[in-house]
């Protein structure tokens, strides 16, 4: 699950990291108590908002309310905007890139850094040298910080001295950088994140550092440890792909991996799989109805395998969405549902109440669906 920026920044603040003062706006109200100028930032689960017109500088309350109204009216990067983050605009000299990520290959955390952070990081990484990786051991050693500091400054020995790219201050001594990295590592470990990315990490004119943007990806597999996880962004994007116009068994699952596995299971059981459908996280009835309508329009489909593993998205939420969607799509082929995980019991009750059958395992589900399809 990738958090919205303001949610990510709340976590960062909790771990003592320097986050600009900000306020959440859920409408075009002008009661901003921050000092102007202010940046207004759309809160959507996508990067690249700056380039897409979702980050705006405003100079007074009147400007803020008209820009806010505008941002809330339009879609940005295909997302409806319901929340804005207003932040005091930063006076900065430089933008750096810094992230802490779980390294799957080295079983440890790594620091990822680039001297030229900001909206053109991809371009910078291809033209001014790749993102640098610094593997972290048990703790953030002073040596790593020295290497990172020298890299940002462009004074590292192995690069043969200054290459020009890194010139400019880092706005902080190694001790400040150390504290910042420790805060990011602490956030990553204690919050069960896979990625904590700061882009840009701004070098301020007053000499400090500020986390101007934040992307935090939490590990869905750790959801059971975090009853407090109750974020606005539970929704991951959904995807529907028609695979075989003559397919007999359709499917729906939450998560791309589970959706692929479901398609494989149908194929292995001897039926032609009609589609791939990752319903995403959350409970988007509108999206589910659209997908069900596409399935209903596929002439050969006579069964739908639904494979739900409740993690952060709870089984009862998905069950409710299925019941609602089914009410709207009257002529839907019969559903074969496997539902397990968080709030399974509540989910089962909802489906039973709506007369929808469930099967204990995916194998049972697929076998019965294929039987019906081959009849
Ligand atoms: P993103 O485009 O979704 O990654 O959004 P960011 O929060 O990273 O903002 C994009 C860019 O806006 C930054 O890289 C800055 O160059 C620019 N920007 C200008 N002034 C400010 C400011 O005061 N705060 C922030 N966060 N960004 C600013
Ligand atoms: Mn950014």
């Amino acid at each position: 699950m990738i958090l919205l920026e303001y949610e990510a920044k709340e976590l960062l603040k909790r771990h003592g990291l320097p986050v600009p003062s900000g306020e959440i706006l859920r409408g075009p109200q002008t009661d901003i108590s921050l000092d102007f100028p202010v940046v207004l930032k759309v809160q959507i689960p996508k990067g690249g908002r700056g380039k897409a017109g979702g980050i705006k500088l405003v100079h007074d309350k009147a400007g803020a309310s008209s820009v806010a109204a505008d941002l809330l009216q339009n879609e940005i990067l295909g997302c409806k905007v319901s929340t804005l983050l207003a932040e005091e605009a930063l006076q900065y000299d430089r933008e750096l890139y810094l992230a802490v990520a779980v390294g799957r290959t080295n079983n440890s955390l790594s620091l990822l850094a680039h001297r030229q952070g900001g909206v053109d990081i991809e371009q910078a990484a291809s033209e001014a040298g790749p993102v640098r990786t610094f593997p972290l051991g048990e703790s953030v050693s002073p040596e790593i910080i020295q290497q990172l500091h020298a890299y940002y400054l462009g004074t590292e020995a192995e690069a043969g001295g200054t290459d020009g790219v890194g010139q400019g201050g880092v706005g902080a001594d190694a001790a400040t950088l150390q504290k910042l990295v420790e805060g990011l590592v602490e956030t990553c470990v204690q919050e069960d994140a896979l990625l904590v990315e700061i882009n840009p990490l701004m070098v301020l004119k007053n000499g400090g550092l500020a986390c101007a943007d934040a992307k935090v990806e939490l590990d869905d597999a750790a959801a059971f440890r975090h009853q407090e996880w109750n974020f606005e962004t539970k929704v991951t994007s959904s995807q529907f792909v028609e695979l075989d116009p003559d397919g007999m068994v359709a499917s729906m699952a939450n998560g791309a991996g589970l959706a692929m596995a479901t398609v494989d299971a149908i194929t292995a059981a001897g039926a032609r799989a009609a589609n791939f459908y990752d319903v995403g996280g959350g409970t988007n009835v509108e999206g589910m109805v659209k997908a069900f309508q596409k399935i209903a329009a596929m002439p050969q489909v006579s069964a739908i395998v639904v494979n739900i593993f409740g993690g952060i998205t709870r089984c009862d939420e998905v069950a409710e969405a299925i019941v609602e969607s089914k009410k709207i799509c009257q002529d839907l082929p019969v559903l074969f549902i496997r539902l397990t995980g968080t709030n399974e019991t509540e989910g089962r009750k909802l489906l039973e109440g709506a007369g929808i059958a469930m099967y204990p395992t995916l194998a049972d589900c697929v076998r019965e669906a294929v039987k019906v399809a081959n009849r």
Side-chain angles (χ1 to χ4, degrees):
M1 162 171 66
I2 295 173
L3 302 186
L4 293 175
E5 177 192 8
Y6 82 88
E7 297 168 328
K9 282 179 166 171
E10 272 165 25
L11 295 185
L12 296 179
K13 240 187 280 174
R14 225 179 279 162
H15 293 277
L17 287 152
V19 172
S21 312
E23 288 170 8
I24 306 297
L25 308 181
R26 297 198 189 271
Q29 71 268 40
T30 46
D31 51 340
I32 297 175
S33 57
L34 302 167
D35 288 336
F36 284 87
V38 160
V39 279
L40 296 180
K41 314 181 76 181
V42 298
Q43 299 298 291
I44 53 171
K46 294 248 168 98
R49 296 164 301 164
K51 287 194 165 171
I55 312 280
K56 300 276 191 204
L57 187 70
V58 292
H59 295 278
D60 50 37
K61 288 199 177 189
S65 61
S66 81
V67 170
D70 196 48
L71 289 173
L72 290 162
Q73 233 159 46
N74 295 311
E75 283 197 354
I76 304 245
L77 296 164
C79 298
K80 279 186 201 148
V81 180
S82 61
T83 311
L84 301 176
L85 172 62
E87 277 186 351
E88 282 177 12
L90 300 166
Q91 301 292 316
Y92 58 97
D93 283 326
R94 249 188 112 178
E95 299 182 67
L96 305 170
Y97 175 94
L98 183 62
V100 173
V102 172
R104 292 188 189 280
T105 48
N106 59 2
N107 298 322
S108 104
L109 293 180
S110 289
L111 279 182
L112 307 173
H114 202 283
R115 290 170 179 144
Q116 292 179 310
V119 295
D120 289 320
I121 181 69
E122 280 85 6
Q123 196 187 338
S126 74
E127 288 170 10
V131 168
R132 287 285 292 269
T133 305
F134 301 90
L136 293 171
E138 292 290 304
S139 63
V140 181
S141 71
E143 290 73 33
I144 287 286
I145 295 302
Q146 265 164 22
Q147 286 171 29
L148 178 68
H149 198 223
Y151 164 69
Y152 278 152
L153 288 171
T155 56
E156 53 189 351
E158 68 193 82
T162 304
D163 59 8
V165 177
Q167 280 188 339
V170 182
D173 52 19
T176 312
L177 202 55
Q178 171 110 23
K179 203 166 156 266
L180 188 109
V181 172
E182 281 171 356
L184 294 179
V185 169
E186 182 186 297
T187 308
C188 192
V189 172
Q190 291 186 10
E191 306 294 342
D192 278 316
L194 297 170
L195 174 74
V196 179
E197 181 191 73
I198 311 301
N199 185 35
L201 172 63
M202 281 186 178
V203 178
L204 303 178
K205 289 208 180 290
N206 70 12
L209 293 171
C211 302
D213 188 15
K215 176 177 173 182
V216 169
E217 180 178 2
L218 299 175
D219 186 347
D220 291 0
F224 73 98
R225 280 210 286 249
H226 297 273
Q227 290 306 311
E228 82 282 5
W229 279 4
N230 187 22
F231 295 103
E232 185 181 343
T233 3
K234 279 197 207 163
V235 182
T236 54
S237 52
S238 64
Q239 200 190 5
F240 187 99
V241 182
E242 189 175 319
L243 295 176
D244 182 349
D246 299 320
M248 301 162 294
V249 180
S251 65
M252 163 177 128
N254 61 327
L258 202 60
M260 282 191 279
T262 308
V263 167
D264 287 350
I266 292 166
T267 311
R272 289 167 72 166
N275 73 300
F276 165 99
Y277 177 33
D278 168 12
V279 67
T283 51
N284 173 4
V285 172
E286 208 182 310
M288 201 181 281
V289 166
K290 271 191 201 149
F292 278 170
Q293 283 166 344
K294 282 182 203 163
I295 292 172
M298 296 179 80
Q300 304 302 325
V301 173
S302 51
I304 306 177
V305 173
V306 178
N307 189 9
I308 299 300
F309 183 83
I312 290 169
T313 298
R314 303 190 310 263
C315 287
D316 54 328
E317 295 175 327
V318 185
E320 206 175 316
I322 292 172
V323 172
E324 281 307 303
S325 304
K326 202 167 170 289
K327 268 187 216 156
I328 298 168
C329 305
Q330 298 286 346
D331 46 359
L332 200 64
V334 50
L335 299 173
F336 294 83
I337 300 188
R338 176 252 187 173
L339 183 82
T340 192
T342 315
N343 285 13
E344 181 178 324
T345 317
E346 292 82 346
R348 286 177 173 275
K349 266 192 205 133
L350 284 166
L351 292 176
E352 269 160 22
I356 300 172
M358 279 157 292
Y359 296 83
T361 68
L362 176 63
D364 298 320
C365 229
V366 170
R367 190 187 56 243
E368 294 309 311
V370 171
K371 257 191 227 164
V372 166
N374 287 337
R375 260 212 298 265

